[in-house]
Amino acid sequence: MDYSNDPDHPAGPSPWSTSPQHNRNSFQSDPPSSPELSRQGESFTGNPPNRRLFEEDQDHARPEGVEPAHGDVFGQPSEQVTSQPSERQQQKAPSQDQAQQHGQKSQPQRYHSAPRQPQKKQTPQFKLQAKITGLERTGRKDPILRFDVHTNIPNFRTTQFRDVRRTHSEFVKLGEHLISACPEAFVPAVPPPVTSAGAGTDEDEARVKASLQRWLNYVCGNNVLMRDDEMVFFVESDFGYSPVVRMKQPATGVRRKVIKQFAPPPDDTPELQDARPVVKLFYLGTMDAGHKVDRLVKARRGLGVAESDFGVKLGSMSAQETHAGLSQAYRKLGKTIQTTGDYHVAQGTAEATTLGDPLQYHSSDAFIVKETLTNRHILLRELATAQQTLRSKLSAADRLKASTSVKREKVDEAISALDEASANEKLLSQKAKEVTSNLVLERRRWFSRTAADLRQSIREYVIREIEAERRTLATLESVRPDIRAIDASGGLSRLGRETHPAARRASLAASQGPKGDAWSGVPRRPDGLSRSISGSQGLAGVSEAEESGVVQGMAASAPNLKGMKEEEDEDRVDARNAASRLATSTF
């Protein structure tokens, strides 16, 4: 039946347009013009096994010796196929051409035969992230760190690990293994489990967590370290961690000391050749500076204890003094000196925390970098020895080739020795090339990272020192009213001078106010101490923009100080007045 002219079916040509005609004995192989027609065509033409069974049944039903007619398809007589009038076929021809053109335009992309360019497979970007969530301390035992891990590396069992618990000693074991197993990377030193702030304090816990988080960030972000098999065991182990593969340094003990006495091997990478002396000097310098800071902290703590003791004894003198003003001054001055001693003890602790601990850590970290560069020197020595062995084997083979009497055993032995030397030289050459190329990048990262960390530590140390000195000065200034109130002449403020005026007005202005320091004129930063503590836990150093902003603020405050009207007070506390008094005073 023809649907091309039916108003109830305006879809176009007949769905049976692909039926067999009198001039062909099979179905059209052209693709259908729509998904509906494609499904209809598949249901009509598509099951080769059923069609084969149907034809076999027709063959069994057909008498022997009778061939199927030319138009017989699926057992249908040819008269039914050829009974269509030729006029209708002529009417169908244009509609079929239009349908074919329309089908070619609306064919899906999968039917296009245009050649496609092969797409390059993108290599997956592996990542390993660890975040410390807690720190547990039980007495003096090794602290336990809890952290979560997220990764897409296929070596792991799953992508997320929650609440992984590892002790600090297990972190040390992992670090020692990575140092031995990965000579092409600078493994940072594992931070200590306790700081000089004191175990159990909030500052100590925050600093330990921040330092170990930085260590994990570097190890998990390094492409060489994150793919080590021990990282999988470290994360997935259920009952503690211990290295599965015991790796050792290429040379240890006396042999390593003897190797260090020789001149370094010839190196074609000047960047690494110049790096080891610099790293060694940095290691020795930070170690010496750390020892000096320890001595400074010890002396400052001793000063604080002595001041506290002196303050207690000075305060006890108030009970024996009969003068009321002097007795009050003894009591207040003793408390002030005792408080100052406590501040000095706290200042010593802050110095050890902000400067002593970073210097000791960077010293141990530089030692690891120095030993890693020494391992590369040992590898280069082994490569030079292998190359020399290969040349000797080649010369022996040449001599054997040129000799008149050649024995088969000697030939086999020379060939096997030459192959072994060649394989060893090739392996060492490839390893030395990989180690050198990776260490060049690692050196740049280590230099920038260490410089940023030290800059941040020195900045924090300076801020804490300024805050401690300002606090001490403000405490000492608080006792001035009691000292000057000893008698009518101002007490001890004139240090026994006889030319002082009979009536004088004592200035009680404090140099350390909320607006800044009266001696320097630099505005005080209200969040200086909190910024120093929080800044030590950050991963990056101080930005240049922030430093330039501070300098601009200092420069901007200078014109304001010049235009400011000075107080008409002879006893105000500033540098100029102090200098003039010292110049005209006689003691």
Side-chain angles (χ1 to χ4, degrees):
M1 184 174 182
D2 188 10
Y3 289 93
S4 59
N5 298 322
D6 193 353
D8 296 335
H9 301 81
S14 171
W16 309 103
S17 60
T18 57
S19 299
Q21 302 296 329
H22 70 280
N23 57 353
R24 61 175 183 264
N25 57 359
S26 64
F27 290 88
Q28 288 183 358
S29 61
D30 295 335
S33 61
S34 66
E36 265 190 20
L37 297 183
S38 65
R39 287 194 296 271
Q40 290 178 1
E42 288 173 4
S43 64
F44 186 73
T45 64
N47 197 348
N50 296 338
R51 175 178 177 181
R52 186 166 55 252
L53 293 174
F54 186 78
E55 289 177 352
E56 289 177 0
D57 293 342
Q58 293 294 329
D59 291 342
H60 286 299
R62 187 182 298 112
E64 295 182 359
V66 179
E67 297 294 335
H70 178 70
D72 191 2
V73 179
F74 292 156
Q76 296 178 359
S78 61
E79 289 80 10
Q80 295 180 3
V81 179
T82 58
S83 60
Q84 308 252 347
S86 59
E87 294 179 359
R88 182 166 297 178
Q89 292 177 1
Q90 292 176 359
Q91 292 176 0
K92 281 185 180 181
S95 62
Q96 289 177 0
D97 295 340
Q98 294 175 2
Q100 290 178 359
Q101 294 175 2
H102 177 71
Q104 290 177 359
K105 292 180 182 179
S106 62
Q107 281 178 2
Q109 185 70 22
R110 63 177 181 271
Y111 294 121
H112 290 179
S113 60
R116 294 182 179 180
Q117 297 180 354
Q119 297 181 354
K120 296 181 180 179
K121 293 184 179 180
Q122 296 181 355
T123 56
Q125 186 71 23
F126 294 118
K127 64 179 180 179
L128 178 64
Q129 299 174 349
K131 181 180 180 181
I132 294 179
T133 58
L135 176 66
E136 299 178 1
R137 290 186 185 274
T138 306
R140 295 186 177 181
K141 294 183 180 180
D142 202 14
I144 299 176
L145 291 110
R146 296 184 287 109
F147 57 95
D148 300 335
V149 178
H150 176 72
T151 181
N152 62 349
I153 300 177
N155 295 341
F156 289 84
R157 289 181 302 187
T158 181
T159 58
Q160 291 185 356
F161 299 87
R162 297 288 184 182
D163 199 25
V164 181
R165 295 170 177 262
R166 293 291 177 265
T167 62
H168 183 269
S169 59
E170 292 172 345
F171 277 88
V172 174
K173 292 178 183 178
L174 176 64
E176 292 176 353
H177 168 81
L178 293 177
I179 292 172
S180 303
C182 303
E184 65 272 22
F186 289 153
V187 182
V190 180
V194 65
T195 63
S196 299
T201 60
D202 295 339
E203 185 178 1
D204 172 76
E205 181 178 353
R207 287 181 179 275
V208 170
K209 289 171 61 176
S211 59
L212 282 170
Q213 182 65 58
R214 287 197 297 269
W215 187 85
L216 280 176
N217 290 343
Y218 182 82
V219 171
C220 296
N222 191 290
N223 293 327
V224 177
L225 302 179
M226 67 188 293
R227 297 188 182 184
D228 192 84
D229 294 336
E230 287 296 325
M231 293 296 296
V232 180
F233 301 138
F234 180 76
V235 174
E236 295 183 352
S237 179
D238 296 328
F239 304 99
Y241 165 75
S242 183
V244 179
V245 181
R246 300 286 181 175
M247 301 293 294
K248 294 183 179 180
Q249 295 284 347
T252 56
V254 180
R255 180 170 176 264
R256 191 178 186 89
K257 292 182 179 179
V258 171
I259 291 176
K260 288 182 179 180
Q261 300 300 323
F262 299 133
D267 195 350
D268 57 350
T269 310
E271 193 170 355
L272 294 179
Q273 184 179 6
D274 301 337
R276 191 182 182 280
V278 174
V279 173
K280 185 177 181 180
L281 289 176
F282 178 76
Y283 156 67
L284 296 175
T286 50
M287 183 173 59
D288 183 55
H291 293 163
K292 291 181 178 179
V293 171
D294 291 341
R295 290 196 294 269
L296 172 65
V297 170
K298 186 177 179 180
R300 193 176 293 277
R301 287 175 177 173
L303 172 64
V305 172
E307 286 178 338
S308 298
D309 184 53
F310 175 67
V312 172
K313 292 180 179 179
L314 191 62
S316 63
M317 293 176 59
S318 62
Q320 303 174 0
E321 182 61 42
T322 58
H323 191 278
L326 191 58
S327 175
Q328 180 76 8
Y330 279 153
R331 186 172 66 254
K332 293 293 184 69
L333 184 61
K335 290 182 179 179
T336 301
I337 294 178
Q338 188 176 358
T339 305
T340 304
D342 297 338
Y343 285 161
H344 282 159
V345 172
Q347 184 179 358
T349 303
E351 288 172 348
T353 304
T354 56
L355 190 60
D357 290 348
L359 287 175
Q360 293 179 359
Y361 173 76
H362 286 295
S363 176
S364 59
D365 189 31
F367 178 77
I368 294 176
V369 173
K370 180 178 73 71
E371 294 302 315
T372 304
L373 294 174
T374 303
N375 293 340
R376 177 177 173 271
H377 285 178
I378 296 175
L379 179 61
L380 294 179
R381 291 181 188 278
E382 293 178 356
L383 176 60
T385 304
Q387 292 174 348
Q388 185 178 359
T389 304
L390 178 60
R391 287 193 294 267
S392 63
K393 298 299 180 183
L394 283 173
S395 61
D398 293 338
R399 289 194 304 268
L400 188 61
K401 189 187 301 182
S403 63
T404 56
S405 60
V406 179
K407 293 183 179 180
R408 184 171 183 177
E409 293 80 5
K410 290 186 178 181
V411 172
D412 294 341
E413 183 180 356
I415 291 176
S416 62
L418 180 61
D419 292 341
E420 182 180 357
S422 177
N424 187 28
E425 189 273 339
K426 184 178 180 181
L427 177 63
L428 290 176
S429 177
Q430 183 178 2
K431 186 177 181 180
K433 185 177 180 181
E434 293 178 357
V435 169
T436 300
S437 60
N438 285 334
L439 286 186
V440 169
L441 301 177
E442 291 285 332
R443 188 206 68 85
R444 298 170 185 170
R445 296 171 188 165
W446 184 83
F447 271 60
S448 60
R449 184 178 75 248
T450 304
D453 291 346
L454 270 181
R455 189 184 301 113
Q456 177 68 19
S457 300
I458 294 174
R459 176 180 179 271
E460 182 184 4
Y461 166 76
V462 171
I463 291 177
R464 296 287 288 269
E465 284 291 295
I466 293 174
E467 293 296 327
E469 296 297 338
R470 285 181 171 179
R471 184 169 57 246
T472 303
L473 182 57
T475 304
L476 292 175
E477 287 177 349
S478 66
V479 79
R480 284 189 303 176
D482 300 292
I483 298 299
R484 293 180 178 179
I486 293 177
D487 53 15
S489 64
L492 303 178
S493 62
R494 288 291 182 176
L495 299 177
R497 287 178 56 191
E498 297 180 358
T499 58
H500 60 275
R504 57 185 303 277
R505 181 169 57 90
S507 174
L508 302 180
S511 65
Q512 303 300 312
K515 294 184 178 180
D517 189 354
W519 290 76
S520 63
V522 179
R524 179 195 294 268
R525 304 184 76 148
D527 57 343
L529 183 59
S530 60
R531 282 170 52 85
S532 66
I533 297 177
S534 62
S536 64
Q537 303 171 12
L539 301 180
V542 188
S543 61
E544 297 181 358
E546 184 177 354
E547 293 180 354
S548 62
V550 174
V551 175
Q552 292 175 2
M554 295 172 59
S557 63
N560 297 333
L561 292 175
K562 293 180 179 179
M564 185 183 301
K565 183 179 180 181
E566 296 184 357
E567 300 178 2
E568 296 179 358
D569 185 8
E570 298 178 356
D571 294 326
R572 68 183 180 86
V573 182
D574 63 353
R576 182 184 300 175
N577 199 8
S580 63
R581 287 196 175 193
L582 289 175
T584 59
S585 299
T586 57
F587 300 100

